[in-house]
Amino acid sequence: MDGSLAFEEYGSGAPLILGTSYLWDARMWRPQIEALAARYRIIVPLLPGHGNDVILPADVRTPAELASCVGTLLDGLGIGNAAVAGLSVGGMWAAELALQRPHQVRALLLMDTFLGSEPEVSRNRYEAMFQAVEAAGRFEPALVQQIVPLFFRPGIDQQHPLFRELTMRLLAWPAARIATLIAVGRLIFLRPERLAALAALDPSRTLIAVGAQDIPRPPSESRTMAALIGCRLQVIADAGHIASLENAQAVTAMMHEWLSATAAAS
């Protein structure tokens, strides 16, 4: 397995690893990076094909195998102990990383994510989208109008800067990165069922959070995971899937509290 991943690094201090959502890069954590970089060394592993030309290795087919790549990256950076926060697929591999390397993940924040298998209806819908992008070799405008609202709370103004930024980014997605993009998408939405494994996580070091109006990862999924782990669940008001941007103030405050509490407990 080739563990090479692109990453971005900010700040200095205790290590903090931030996992990103599908179709996003480090920009989805921009408010938190700005608030935390003065105290933490922030590493943002980037999904292959997301703002980079890294190709997803053929033998990396699950979030657990992606977590192994992140572990290799952390080893290469000399990071032996870190707090890890992941949103969406970033949360999927973050949980797997904590299961693989409990000694290395001192605190875990899982946001807007789900370790169960993808429901069949949504899996089929996403596969149809992948096939449309493959056929066109790009994101057609009509498809972009279907995809972008999934990331935000219902009823968001299409002129909102977040909505417009993602729209423009998808329309400009480089054709050379489409194949990798689709491969990563299938890794996510064809993932195996992993809910039972969550019981092995340490509830005292784990926090789950979810946007109150998340469409693809509804709060009911987060409640299920929190019950299995026995950890605290925090619902972020006025936010959909990318809660880190839609309610940046609440998420940043939550992360300050989570980092302080887990540092004191470790």
Side-chain angles (χ1 to χ4, degrees):
M1 179 185 295
D2 181 357
S4 299
L5 288 175
F7 68 96
E8 294 185 17
E9 182 170 0
Y10 305 86
S12 61
L16 170 61
I17 316 304
L18 300 180
T20 60
S21 171
Y22 189 51
L23 303 184
W24 290 80
D25 54 25
R27 284 173 285 192
M28 61 162 287
W29 291 109
R30 183 169 47 214
Q32 291 74 40
I33 290 170
E34 291 174 354
L36 297 169
R39 295 181 58 189
Y40 297 92
R41 179 190 181 191
I42 300 173
I43 307 295
V44 188
L46 301 177
L47 295 171
H50 289 60
N52 60 78
D53 293 318
V54 174
I55 296 173
L56 183 72
D59 58 352
V60 177
R61 302 184 185 91
T62 67
E65 290 166 344
L66 187 58
S68 295
C69 296
V70 176
T72 299
L73 171 65
L74 299 186
D75 290 345
L77 293 171
I79 296 175
N81 185 273
V84 181
L87 190 151
S88 196
V89 64
M92 295 173 195
W93 67 246
E96 297 287 4
L97 184 69
L99 291 168
Q100 293 169 9
R101 298 170 173 235
H103 62 284
Q104 196 168 21
V105 179
R106 69 167 182 79
L108 180 65
L109 170 58
L110 305 177
M111 290 183 60
D112 299 276
T113 193
F114 188 53
L115 270 288
S117 57
E118 190 68 28
E120 184 177 3
V121 171
S122 56
R123 186 173 65 242
N124 291 340
R125 182 177 69 227
Y126 294 134
E127 177 58 29
M129 291 178 174
F130 295 152
Q131 292 181 17
V133 174
E134 282 181 314
R138 67 188 186 98
F139 285 95
E140 297 281 8
L143 185 59
V144 170
Q145 289 303 304
Q146 295 178 46
I147 294 172
V148 174
L150 297 174
F151 287 94
F152 305 111
R153 62 187 182 273
I156 187 173
D157 184 352
Q158 294 194 9
Q159 299 306 310
H160 190 289
L162 294 177
F163 195 103
R164 288 178 57 83
E165 179 184 359
L166 180 56
T167 297
M168 298 302 292
R169 188 149 44 81
L170 294 186
L171 290 172
W173 203 282
R177 296 174 179 166
I178 289 294
T180 298
L181 174 83
I182 299 303
V184 173
R186 288 183 172 134
L187 174 154
I188 297 165
F189 297 112
L190 296 178
R191 67 186 181 276
E193 172 69 50
R194 292 286 288 158
L195 285 176
L198 294 176
L201 293 174
D202 184 345
S204 69
R205 296 191 293 166
T206 305
L207 171 64
I208 290 181
V210 62
Q213 296 165 283
D214 191 328
I215 297 171
R217 298 272 71 97
S220 59
E221 294 181 342
S222 289
R223 284 193 290 271
T224 295
M225 293 198 304
L228 289 168
I229 301 168
C231 69
R232 186 164 66 91
L233 168 66
Q234 186 156 338
V235 178
I236 308 299
D238 302 319
H241 193 59
I242 308 297
S244 57
L245 289 178
E246 277 204 280
N247 195 339
Q249 183 175 4
V251 170
T252 301
M254 175 188 70
M255 291 182 70
H256 271 298
E257 179 185 353
W258 163 69
L259 288 164
S260 297
T262 52
S266 60

